[in-house]
Amino acid sequence: MISREPTLERLATARQLLLEPFGLDETHLARALAEIRAHQVHDADLYFQYTRSEGWSLEEGIVKTGSFSIDQGVGVRAVSGEKTAFAYSDDISLASLLDAAHTVRSISAATQQRRVKVAPRKVAPSRTLYPGIDPIATLDSTAKVALLEKVEQRARAKDPRVAQVMAGLASEYDVVLVARADGTLAADVRPLVRLSVTVIAQQGGRREMGSAGGGGRFGLAYFDDAQIAQYVDEAVNAALVNLESRPAPAGEMTVVLGPGWPGVLLHEAVGHGLEGDFNRKGSSAFSGRIGQRVAAKGVTVLDDGTIADRRGSLNVDDEGCPSQRNVLIEDGILKGYIQDAMNARLMGVVPTGNGRRESYAHIPMPRMTNTYMLGGDKDPAEIVASMKRGLYATNFGGGQVDITSGKFVFSASEAYWVENGKILYPVKGATIVGSGPESLKKVSMIGNDMRLDSGVGTCGKEGQSVPVGVGQPTLRIDGLTVGGTA
């Protein structure tokens, strides 16, 4: 449900942290925006942010590092046509606001200077997807250290081959306030936590690594004994599987992707190509193809920022628009792109709640939230059994994509060689190479086990990183190229 009531509560928090300590109120924000609008601009906004973050890391049984930081500031933006002028400052004051406003309004010719009426205030509607808590305060320092020590003890007790354990705990409390030229005011209070576990297992001179972890927009109590045990089991099992791995065969073959985190391939291969800026400029492999078949029947891809507590979810985006559930591809047909305000205006469509920025020191752009493929009707075991010869990849490391061509490269961190429907042995060193648009057309079986990742994803674009989610069911893709070492 979208309503204005939760925004009012978050606005009170944002005022308390971002305006009142600096002698500012909403009349000052309106004055700065009026300064920008004295020149002919299409849009303008002020983005205030307060971020408190903390991190702890354990290695060799010792908590080696602990960090704590506070950052705050304001970004001031004016948009004229396709041009953006932007200034930011970590000094929140009326003087710096007005100085930035004067700077960015120069994007339009001074000859267009005019008197403007201050826009009436409108409180933006928003969602309530997560609690407005400070997760750093949900456990004391002693309990955080004990949590990391418990991770290590469980991992070492799991198998004598575990030689090294590294664990990290991160918490962030983020408060944002957006004031737009049309009078819109929006605010969000965003908690974010993450626990990560990396295990190195050793056997006969061979060392292999396994990782796991998760998190989301909630407090640290989420990491209870059961959750810790799950992450430890996954990390240790991955390391032990890799100890038994053989070099991966290479060539064109059938590839089956496991559910959950392997959706990162979908994120890279397809998701970035569906962002509005690339499509407006005609530089994406999906440009101008709305209404056309771009994937096999049964393939439905969504970007959904409205899933409760998820790492990629937002009550409002960084331009004050409520997050949405956007159907990008439906049954193989391209339905739409993800948009921020500027690209939506230039393409003659409405924003989709995907205007995101790393911080007040960055401009917003169209970015994914939680991007995933819906499940189908096939049993995952049936999909693996259908393989004559190929790769079954259940976990991935990093990857990258060329937006213009749609070509991607991915490294599998956990994968198995399959022949005649039987999993024979784990393989190491497999890279999957392909074209995003082409690989979607080669999807031949879709599992009924759609799963979102555990809450670990961070997406990079043009030097900006934002938290995201991915997901998919088990998928069979025919005729992908696998680079191997065998």
Side-chain angles (χ1 to χ4, degrees), residues 39-330:
H39 287 203
Q40 184 72 50
V41 295
H42 287 103
D43 201 0
D45 59 22
L46 313 176
Y47 182 84
F48 294 83
Q49 183 178 33
Y50 172 92
T51 305
R52 190 160 61 232
S53 52
E54 181 187 83
W56 299 83
S57 66
L58 175 143
E59 197 174 337
E60 295 170 358
I62 304 161
V63 174
K64 289 200 166 177
T65 58
S67 62
F68 181 83
S69 67
I70 295 176
D71 190 19
Q72 60 192 25
V74 60
V76 179
R77 176 177 66 139
V79 180
S80 180
E82 295 184 26
K83 297 184 296 181
T84 296
F86 180 72
Y88 70 92
S89 174
D90 58 7
D91 170 33
I92 300 177
S93 67
L94 181 59
S96 67
L97 260 188
L98 295 177
D99 188 36
H102 277 284
T103 302
V104 300
R105 76 179 191 177
S106 62
I107 194 169
S108 286
T111 53
Q112 294 174 315
Q113 196 158 335
R114 60 200 178 124
R115 292 180 66 184
V116 293
K117 184 180 175 185
V118 172
R121 193 189 84 154
K122 303 182 291 188
V123 173
S126 71
R127 303 181 184 276
T128 302
L129 302 171
Y130 36 82
I133 58 170
D134 176 359
I136 296 171
T138 58
L139 275 187
D140 64 30
S141 298
T142 306
K144 290 168 187 168
V145 170
L147 190 156
L148 291 175
E149 288 172 341
K150 187 182 292 183
V151 168
E152 196 206 31
Q153 288 156 10
R154 281 181 180 265
R156 289 193 180 277
K158 185 100 178 123
D159 195 282
R161 289 170 289 181
V162 171
Q164 198 172 342
V165 181
M166 290 152 283
L169 185 67
S171 314
E172 183 177 281
Y173 176 62
D174 195 34
V175 180
V176 300
L177 173 66
V178 185
R180 296 182 64 92
D182 65 0
T184 299
L185 267 181
D188 203 2
V189 179
R190 302 169 178 167
L192 191 62
V193 297
R194 177 175 169 172
L195 176 63
S196 55
V197 187
T198 299
V199 168
I200 295 173
Q202 189 169 335
Q203 179 177 278
R206 183 172 177 179
R207 291 164 68 87
E208 294 291 349
M209 189 173 78
S211 297
R217 297 197 180 279
F218 33 66
L220 292 167
Y222 176 79
F223 302 121
D224 59 12
D225 286 355
Q227 196 62 63
I228 290 169
Q230 182 185 325
Y231 295 157
V232 167
D233 288 353
E234 288 174 8
V236 172
N237 290 341
L240 298 181
V241 163
N242 284 329
L243 277 178
E244 308 297 324
S245 64
R246 307 183 198 174
E252 188 174 295
M253 63 187 73
T254 299
V255 174
V256 170
L257 305 174
W261 177 248
V264 70
L265 189 145
L266 186 79
H267 166 105
E268 293 287 355
V270 182
H272 279 297
L274 297 177
E275 290 169 338
D277 46 357
F278 298 126
N279 288 283
R280 177 178 63 80
K281 296 168 186 173
S283 61
S284 166
F286 294 100
S287 296
R289 300 192 60 193
I290 288 181
Q292 296 180 21
R293 176 165 296 285
V294 296
K297 283 189 72 63
V299 172
T300 296
V301 178
L302 282 73
D303 184 87
D304 187 355
T306 71
I307 310 170
D309 297 332
R310 295 297 306 179
R311 181 174 168 85
S313 295
L314 299 167
N315 289 319
V316 291
D317 72 4
D318 294 327
E319 298 181 300
C321 298
S323 55
Q324 294 183 35
R325 181 181 188 269
N326 299 297
V327 179
L328 305 177
I329 298 171
E330 186 172 26

